[in-house]
Amino acid sequence: MESAAVFAGLHPTPGHHNHPLGPSRTAIKILPPSIDKINFSPLPLKLQKQSHFTSYIDNSAINSGNSFRVASPASDVASELADIDWDNLGFGFMPTDYMYSMKCSQGENFSKGELQRFGNIELSPSAGILNYGQGLFEGLKAYRKHDGNILLFRPEENATRLKMGAERMCMPSPSVEQFVEAVKATVLANERWIPPPGKGSLYIRPLLMGSGAVLGLAPAPEYTFLIYVSPVGNYFKEGLAPINLVIETEMHRATPGGTGGVKTIGNYAAVLKAQSAAKAKGYSDVLYLDCVQKKYLEEVSSCNVFIVKGNLIVTPAIKGTILPGITRKSIIDVAISQGFQVEERQVSVDELLDADEVFCTGTAVVVSPVGSITHQGRRVTYGNDGVGLVSQQLYSALTSLQMGLSEDKMGWIVELK
């Protein structure tokens, strides 16, 4: 299918980046001398189907405001994978070639964005993101198929969730179309960093932040939408193996009326203390309870949680304190399509401890089976410390769909090439 992104004169830096990039005080040129950056209009930009980057753009198309048209043969540079150990790829940050940036002022709309060389960004010490935490992020993945196609999984869902979060955080946000086009552009610009089939995925991290300077408590005057990417393997070092959770009874992730239901940055810093303490004791992560009655499940630090009892799958209902996970939403649909009964409601600790299986879902982990839960010193195990049948079945179904190994009957996959 046609790509909506346009690339001209993009030549990825040879070799493997294995160290953080240093600060850059000026934009790094990635195009021929006459063009500093690649600009994107708010309307869809159509491009003739290309498998690699091209050497220049037909400037008449730019000047006329029409769709860009590639005028030169494709380069072979982008067909080469980055020189890294794909067999031992963990879930950690690795600098890639390009990032995407788009700005707008408070009260206005985002209008165009640009690809830039990946590097540090410059912010005022008084930026809204630094002083008042006015920021959101998203997470999604791109996969490489054996036939060379590149796949995205439900990017419009991330775009919609970002818009909902932006409204809660008093920020303008890109349209769904702008978000998806920016993701496509960034992925294709970093194509050589997409792992080979079966070796992992390209993790995509969109950020929306109050980048303008503000001293008094108020929305920032300027906002930046940024996307960077990194190749990743499994989130948990165990891979698709059971993780061990501990229930936190003193600290809480979110409160009614707060921001627990949106993907704001402060939600994640708040879990670090309990998570660090749990990991120091040998647990994989923390499971949080509601802060009112302290007996109903909410979330793991960065995942939604499900329990299984016979043919019934239950997950805590979305009620403002729980993030509406896209993987969560997808697993519910997949489970229903496979004949499971699914309920979204309150789930008590007692019901959790009596479950046949427990698993977590999230963009990073996809599906992660739980081997044990510890609550107030009592440890309950599931599935003889093995991967539960339901967890395995749902993991296989969803990952096969995400990686293009099974037919997309849901209409969730976006092909980039």
CSV table of all heavy atoms in Angstrom, one decimal, residues 311-356:
chain,number,residue,atom,x,y,z
A,311,ASN,N,-14.2,-20.6,32.2
A,311,ASN,CA,-14.4,-20.0,30.9
A,311,ASN,C,-14.6,-18.5,31.1
A,311,ASN,O,-14.8,-17.7,30.1
A,311,ASN,CB,-15.6,-20.6,30.1
A,311,ASN,CG,-15.5,-20.2,28.6
A,311,ASN,OD1,-14.6,-20.4,28.0
A,311,ASN,ND2,-16.6,-19.6,28.2
A,312,LEU,N,-14.5,-18.0,32.3
A,312,LEU,CA,-14.8,-16.6,32.6
A,312,LEU,C,-13.5,-15.8,32.7
A,312,LEU,O,-12.6,-16.2,33.5
A,312,LEU,CB,-15.6,-16.4,33.9
A,312,LEU,CG,-15.9,-15.0,34.4
A,312,LEU,CD1,-16.7,-14.2,33.4
A,312,LEU,CD2,-16.5,-15.1,35.8
A,313,ILE,N,-13.4,-14.7,32.0
A,313,ILE,CA,-12.2,-13.8,32.2
A,313,ILE,C,-12.8,-12.5,32.7
A,313,ILE,O,-13.7,-11.9,32.1
A,313,ILE,CB,-11.5,-13.6,30.8
A,313,ILE,CG1,-11.0,-14.9,30.3
A,313,ILE,CG2,-10.4,-12.5,30.9
A,313,ILE,CD1,-10.3,-14.8,28.9
A,314,VAL,N,-12.2,-12.0,33.8
A,314,VAL,CA,-12.6,-10.7,34.4
A,314,VAL,C,-11.5,-9.7,34.5
A,314,VAL,O,-10.3,-10.1,34.8
A,314,VAL,CB,-13.2,-11.0,35.8
A,314,VAL,CG1,-13.8,-9.7,36.4
A,314,VAL,CG2,-14.2,-12.1,35.8
A,315,THR,N,-11.8,-8.5,34.3
A,315,THR,CA,-10.8,-7.4,34.4
A,315,THR,C,-11.5,-6.2,35.1
A,315,THR,O,-12.7,-6.0,34.9
A,315,THR,CB,-10.2,-7.0,33.1
A,315,THR,OG1,-9.1,-6.1,33.3
A,315,THR,CG2,-11.2,-6.3,32.2
A,316,PRO,N,-10.7,-5.5,35.9
A,316,PRO,CA,-11.3,-4.3,36.6
A,316,PRO,C,-11.9,-3.3,35.5
A,316,PRO,O,-11.3,-3.1,34.5
A,316,PRO,CB,-10.2,-3.7,37.3
A,316,PRO,CG,-9.3,-4.8,37.6
A,316,PRO,CD,-9.4,-5.7,36.4
A,317,ALA,N,-13.1,-2.8,35.8
A,317,ALA,CA,-13.8,-1.8,34.9
A,317,ALA,C,-13.0,-0.5,34.9
A,317,ALA,O,-12.4,-0.1,35.9
A,317,ALA,CB,-15.2,-1.6,35.4
A,318,ILE,N,-13.1,0.1,33.8
A,318,ILE,CA,-12.5,1.5,33.6
A,318,ILE,C,-13.4,2.5,34.3
A,318,ILE,O,-14.6,2.6,33.9
A,318,ILE,CB,-12.4,1.8,32.1
A,318,ILE,CG1,-11.5,0.8,31.4
A,318,ILE,CG2,-11.8,3.3,31.9
A,318,ILE,CD1,-10.0,0.8,31.9
A,319,LYS,N,-12.9,3.2,35.3
A,319,LYS,CA,-13.8,4.1,36.0
A,319,LYS,C,-13.1,5.4,36.5
A,319,LYS,O,-13.4,6.0,37.5
A,319,LYS,CB,-14.3,3.4,37.3
A,319,LYS,CG,-13.3,2.7,38.2
A,319,LYS,CD,-13.9,2.0,39.4
A,319,LYS,CE,-12.9,1.3,40.2
A,319,LYS,NZ,-11.7,2.0,40.6
A,320,GLY,N,-12.0,5.7,35.7
A,320,GLY,CA,-11.4,7.0,36.0
A,320,GLY,C,-10.0,6.8,36.6
A,320,GLY,O,-9.2,7.8,36.6
A,321,THR,N,-9.8,5.7,37.3
A,321,THR,CA,-8.5,5.5,38.0
A,321,THR,C,-7.7,4.5,37.3
A,321,THR,O,-6.5,4.2,37.7
A,321,THR,CB,-8.7,5.1,39.4
A,321,THR,OG1,-9.6,3.9,39.4
A,321,THR,CG2,-9.4,6.1,40.3
A,322,ILE,N,-8.2,3.9,36.3
A,322,ILE,CA,-7.5,2.8,35.5
A,322,ILE,C,-7.3,3.2,34.1
A,322,ILE,O,-8.3,3.7,33.5
A,322,ILE,CB,-8.3,1.5,35.6
A,322,ILE,CG1,-8.4,1.0,37.1
A,322,ILE,CG2,-7.7,0.4,34.7
A,322,ILE,CD1,-9.3,-0.2,37.2
A,323,LEU,N,-6.1,3.1,33.6
A,323,LEU,CA,-5.8,3.4,32.2
A,323,LEU,C,-6.6,2.5,31.2
A,323,LEU,O,-6.5,1.3,31.3
A,323,LEU,CB,-4.3,3.4,31.9
A,323,LEU,CG,-3.9,3.9,30.5
A,323,LEU,CD1,-4.0,5.5,30.5
A,323,LEU,CD2,-2.5,3.5,30.2
A,324,PRO,N,-7.3,3.1,30.2
A,324,PRO,CA,-7.9,2.2,29.2
A,324,PRO,C,-6.9,1.7,28.2
A,324,PRO,O,-6.7,2.3,27.2
A,324,PRO,CB,-8.9,3.2,28.6
A,324,PRO,CG,-8.3,4.6,28.8
A,324,PRO,CD,-7.6,4.5,30.1
A,325,GLY,N,-6.3,0.6,28.6
A,325,GLY,CA,-5.2,0.1,27.7
A,325,GLY,C,-5.7,-0.4,26.4
A,325,GLY,O,-6.8,-1.0,26.3
A,326,ILE,N,-4.9,-0.2,25.4
A,326,ILE,CA,-5.3,-0.6,24.0
A,326,ILE,C,-5.1,-2.1,23.9
A,326,ILE,O,-5.9,-2.8,23.2
A,326,ILE,CB,-4.5,0.2,23.0
A,326,ILE,CG1,-4.9,1.6,23.0
A,326,ILE,CG2,-4.7,-0.4,21.6
A,326,ILE,CD1,-3.9,2.6,22.4
A,327,THR,N,-4.1,-2.7,24.5
A,327,THR,CA,-3.9,-4.1,24.5
A,327,THR,C,-5.0,-4.8,25.3
A,327,THR,O,-5.6,-5.8,25.0
A,327,THR,CB,-2.5,-4.5,25.1
A,327,THR,OG1,-1.5,-3.8,24.4
A,327,THR,CG2,-2.3,-6.0,24.9
A,328,ARG,N,-5.4,-4.1,26.4
A,328,ARG,CA,-6.5,-4.6,27.2
A,328,ARG,C,-7.8,-4.7,26.4
A,328,ARG,O,-8.5,-5.7,26.4
A,328,ARG,CB,-6.8,-3.6,28.4
A,328,ARG,CG,-8.0,-3.9,29.2
A,328,ARG,CD,-8.3,-2.7,30.2
A,328,ARG,NE,-9.5,-2.9,31.0
A,328,ARG,CZ,-10.7,-2.7,30.6
A,328,ARG,NH1,-10.9,-2.1,29.4
A,328,ARG,NH2,-11.7,-2.9,31.4
A,329,LYS,N,-8.1,-3.6,25.7
A,329,LYS,CA,-9.3,-3.6,24.8
A,329,LYS,C,-9.2,-4.7,23.8
A,329,LYS,O,-10.2,-5.3,23.5
A,329,LYS,CB,-9.4,-2.2,24.2
A,329,LYS,CG,-10.5,-2.0,23.3
A,329,LYS,CD,-10.5,-0.5,22.7
A,329,LYS,CE,-11.7,-0.2,21.8
A,329,LYS,NZ,-11.7,1.2,21.4
A,330,SER,N,-8.0,-4.9,23.2
A,330,SER,CA,-7.9,-5.9,22.1
A,330,SER,C,-8.0,-7.3,22.7
A,330,SER,O,-8.6,-8.2,22.0
A,330,SER,CB,-6.5,-5.7,21.5
A,330,SER,OG,-6.4,-4.4,21.0
A,331,ILE,N,-7.4,-7.6,23.8
A,331,ILE,CA,-7.5,-8.9,24.4
A,331,ILE,C,-9.0,-9.2,24.8
A,331,ILE,O,-9.4,-10.4,24.6
A,331,ILE,CB,-6.7,-9.0,25.7
A,331,ILE,CG1,-5.2,-9.2,25.3
A,331,ILE,CG2,-7.1,-10.1,26.6
A,331,ILE,CD1,-4.9,-10.5,24.7
A,332,ILE,N,-9.8,-8.2,25.2
A,332,ILE,CA,-11.2,-8.5,25.5
A,332,ILE,C,-11.9,-8.9,24.2
A,332,ILE,O,-12.6,-9.9,24.2
A,332,ILE,CB,-11.8,-7.2,26.1
A,332,ILE,CG1,-11.3,-7.0,27.5
A,332,ILE,CG2,-13.4,-7.3,26.0
A,332,ILE,CD1,-11.8,-5.7,28.1
A,333,ASP,N,-11.6,-8.2,23.1
A,333,ASP,CA,-12.3,-8.6,21.8
A,333,ASP,C,-11.8,-10.0,21.3
A,333,ASP,O,-12.6,-10.7,20.8
A,333,ASP,CB,-12.0,-7.5,20.8
A,333,ASP,CG,-12.7,-6.2,21.1
A,333,ASP,OD1,-13.7,-6.2,21.8
A,333,ASP,OD2,-12.3,-5.2,20.5
A,334,VAL,N,-10.5,-10.2,21.5
A,334,VAL,CA,-10.0,-11.5,21.0
A,334,VAL,C,-10.6,-12.7,21.9
A,334,VAL,O,-11.0,-13.7,21.3
A,334,VAL,CB,-8.5,-11.6,21.1
A,334,VAL,CG1,-7.9,-13.0,20.9
A,334,VAL,CG2,-7.8,-10.6,20.0
A,335,ALA,N,-10.6,-12.4,23.2
A,335,ALA,CA,-11.2,-13.5,24.1
A,335,ALA,C,-12.7,-13.8,23.8
A,335,ALA,O,-13.1,-14.9,23.7
A,335,ALA,CB,-11.1,-13.0,25.5
A,336,ILE,N,-13.4,-12.7,23.5
A,336,ILE,CA,-14.9,-12.9,23.2
A,336,ILE,C,-15.0,-13.7,21.9
A,336,ILE,O,-15.8,-14.6,21.7
A,336,ILE,CB,-15.6,-11.6,23.1
A,336,ILE,CG1,-15.7,-10.9,24.5
A,336,ILE,CG2,-17.0,-11.7,22.5
A,336,ILE,CD1,-16.2,-9.5,24.5
A,337,SER,N,-14.1,-13.4,20.9
A,337,SER,CA,-14.2,-14.0,19.6
A,337,SER,C,-13.8,-15.5,19.7
A,337,SER,O,-14.2,-16.3,18.8
A,337,SER,CB,-13.2,-13.3,18.6
A,337,SER,OG,-11.9,-13.6,18.9
A,338,GLN,N,-13.1,-15.9,20.8
A,338,GLN,CA,-12.7,-17.3,21.0
A,338,GLN,C,-13.6,-18.0,21.9
A,338,GLN,O,-13.3,-19.1,22.3
A,338,GLN,CB,-11.2,-17.3,21.5
A,338,GLN,CG,-10.2,-16.8,20.5
A,338,GLN,CD,-8.8,-17.1,20.9
A,338,GLN,OE1,-8.5,-17.5,22.0
A,338,GLN,NE2,-7.9,-16.8,20.0
A,339,GLY,N,-14.7,-17.4,22.3
A,339,GLY,CA,-15.7,-18.1,23.1
A,339,GLY,C,-15.7,-17.9,24.6
A,339,GLY,O,-16.5,-18.5,25.3
A,340,PHE,N,-14.8,-17.0,25.0
A,340,PHE,CA,-14.7,-16.8,26.5
A,340,PHE,C,-15.8,-15.8,26.9
A,340,PHE,O,-16.2,-14.9,26.1
A,340,PHE,CB,-13.4,-16.2,26.9
A,340,PHE,CG,-12.2,-17.2,26.8
A,340,PHE,CD1,-11.4,-17.2,25.7
A,340,PHE,CD2,-12.0,-18.1,27.8
A,340,PHE,CE1,-10.4,-18.1,25.6
A,340,PHE,CE2,-11.0,-19.0,27.7
A,340,PHE,CZ,-10.1,-19.0,26.6
A,341,GLN,N,-16.3,-15.9,28.1
A,341,GLN,CA,-17.1,-14.9,28.7
A,341,GLN,C,-16.3,-13.9,29.4
A,341,GLN,O,-15.4,-14.2,30.2
A,341,GLN,CB,-18.1,-15.5,29.7
A,341,GLN,CG,-19.0,-14.5,30.4
A,341,GLN,CD,-19.8,-15.2,31.5
A,341,GLN,OE1,-19.9,-16.4,31.6
A,341,GLN,NE2,-20.5,-14.4,32.3
A,342,VAL,N,-16.5,-12.6,29.0
A,342,VAL,CA,-15.6,-11.5,29.6
A,342,VAL,C,-16.5,-10.6,30.4
A,342,VAL,O,-17.5,-10.1,29.9
A,342,VAL,CB,-14.8,-10.8,28.5
A,342,VAL,CG1,-14.0,-9.7,29.1
A,342,VAL,CG2,-14.0,-11.8,27.7
A,343,GLU,N,-16.0,-10.2,31.6
A,343,GLU,CA,-16.7,-9.2,32.4
A,343,GLU,C,-15.8,-8.1,32.8
A,343,GLU,O,-14.6,-8.4,33.1
A,343,GLU,CB,-17.3,-9.9,33.6
A,343,GLU,CG,-18.4,-10.9,33.4
A,343,GLU,CD,-18.9,-11.6,34.6
A,343,GLU,OE1,-18.4,-11.2,35.7
A,343,GLU,OE2,-19.8,-12.4,34.5
A,344,GLU,N,-16.2,-6.9,32.8
A,344,GLU,CA,-15.5,-5.7,33.3
A,344,GLU,C,-16.3,-5.2,34.5
A,344,GLU,O,-17.4,-4.7,34.4
A,344,GLU,CB,-15.4,-4.6,32.2
A,344,GLU,CG,-14.7,-5.1,30.9
A,344,GLU,CD,-14.7,-4.0,29.9
A,344,GLU,OE1,-14.0,-2.9,30.1
A,344,GLU,OE2,-15.4,-4.2,28.8
A,345,ARG,N,-15.6,-5.4,35.6
A,345,ARG,CA,-16.3,-5.0,36.9
A,345,ARG,C,-15.3,-4.9,38.0
A,345,ARG,O,-14.1,-5.1,37.8
A,345,ARG,CB,-17.4,-6.0,37.2
A,345,ARG,CG,-16.9,-7.5,37.3
A,345,ARG,CD,-17.9,-8.4,37.9
A,345,ARG,NE,-17.6,-9.8,37.8
A,345,ARG,CZ,-16.7,-10.4,38.6
A,345,ARG,NH1,-16.1,-9.8,39.6
A,345,ARG,NH2,-16.5,-11.7,38.5
A,346,GLN,N,-15.8,-4.7,39.2
A,346,GLN,CA,-14.9,-4.7,40.4
A,346,GLN,C,-14.4,-6.2,40.6
A,346,GLN,O,-15.1,-7.1,40.5
A,346,GLN,CB,-15.6,-4.2,41.6
A,346,GLN,CG,-15.8,-2.7,41.7
A,346,GLN,CD,-16.4,-2.3,43.0
A,346,GLN,OE1,-17.2,-3.0,43.6
A,346,GLN,NE2,-16.0,-1.1,43.5
A,347,VAL,N,-13.1,-6.3,40.9
A,347,VAL,CA,-12.5,-7.6,41.2
A,347,VAL,C,-11.8,-7.5,42.6
A,347,VAL,O,-10.9,-6.7,42.8
A,347,VAL,CB,-11.4,-8.0,40.1
A,347,VAL,CG1,-10.9,-9.4,40.4
A,347,VAL,CG2,-12.0,-7.9,38.7
A,348,SER,N,-12.3,-8.3,43.5
A,348,SER,CA,-11.7,-8.2,44.9
A,348,SER,C,-10.4,-9.0,45.0
A,348,SER,O,-10.1,-9.9,44.1
A,348,SER,CB,-12.7,-8.8,45.9
A,348,SER,OG,-12.9,-10.2,45.7
A,349,VAL,N,-9.7,-8.8,46.0
A,349,VAL,CA,-8.4,-9.5,46.3
A,349,VAL,C,-8.8,-11.0,46.5
A,349,VAL,O,-8.1,-11.9,46.0
A,349,VAL,CB,-7.7,-9.0,47.5
A,349,VAL,CG1,-6.5,-9.9,47.9
A,349,VAL,CG2,-7.2,-7.6,47.2
A,350,ASP,N,-9.9,-11.3,47.2
A,350,ASP,CA,-10.3,-12.7,47.4
A,350,ASP,C,-10.5,-13.4,46.1
A,350,ASP,O,-10.2,-14.6,46.0
A,350,ASP,CB,-11.5,-12.7,48.3
A,350,ASP,CG,-11.3,-12.3,49.8
A,350,ASP,OD1,-10.1,-12.3,50.2
A,350,ASP,OD2,-12.2,-11.9,50.5
A,351,GLU,N,-11.2,-12.7,45.2
A,351,GLU,CA,-11.5,-13.4,43.9
A,351,GLU,C,-10.2,-13.6,43.1
A,351,GLU,O,-10.0,-14.6,42.4
A,351,GLU,CB,-12.4,-12.5,43.1
A,351,GLU,CG,-13.0,-13.1,41.8
A,351,GLU,CD,-14.0,-12.3,41.1
A,351,GLU,OE1,-14.3,-11.2,41.5
A,351,GLU,OE2,-14.6,-12.8,40.1
A,352,LEU,N,-9.3,-12.7,43.2
A,352,LEU,CA,-8.0,-12.8,42.6
A,352,LEU,C,-7.2,-14.0,43.1
A,352,LEU,O,-6.7,-14.8,42.3
A,352,LEU,CB,-7.1,-11.5,42.9
A,352,LEU,CG,-5.6,-11.6,42.6
A,352,LEU,CD1,-5.4,-11.6,41.1
A,352,LEU,CD2,-4.9,-10.5,43.2
A,353,LEU,N,-7.2,-14.2,44.4
A,353,LEU,CA,-6.5,-15.3,45.0
A,353,LEU,C,-7.1,-16.6,44.8
A,353,LEU,O,-6.4,-17.7,44.9
A,353,LEU,CB,-6.3,-15.0,46.5
A,353,LEU,CG,-5.6,-13.8,46.9
A,353,LEU,CD1,-5.5,-13.6,48.4
A,353,LEU,CD2,-4.2,-13.7,46.3
A,354,ASP,N,-8.4,-16.7,44.3
A,354,ASP,CA,-9.1,-17.9,44.0
A,354,ASP,C,-9.1,-18.2,42.5
A,354,ASP,O,-9.7,-19.2,42.1
A,354,ASP,CB,-10.5,-17.8,44.6
A,354,ASP,CG,-11.2,-19.1,44.5
A,354,ASP,OD1,-10.7,-20.2,44.9
A,354,ASP,OD2,-12.4,-19.1,43.9
A,355,ALA,N,-8.4,-17.4,41.7
A,355,ALA,CA,-8.5,-17.5,40.3
A,355,ALA,C,-7.7,-18.7,39.8
A,355,ALA,O,-6.8,-19.2,40.5
A,355,ALA,CB,-7.9,-16.3,39.6
A,356,ASP,N,-8.0,-19.2,38.6
A,356,ASP,CA,-7.3,-20.3,38.0
A,356,ASP,C,-6.0,-19.8,37.3
A,356,ASP,O,-4.9,-20.4,37.4
A,356,ASP,CB,-8.1,-21.0,36.9
A,356,ASP,CG,-9.3,-21.7,37.4
A,356,ASP,OD1,-9.3,-22.0,38.6
A,356,ASP,OD2,-10.3,-21.8,36.7
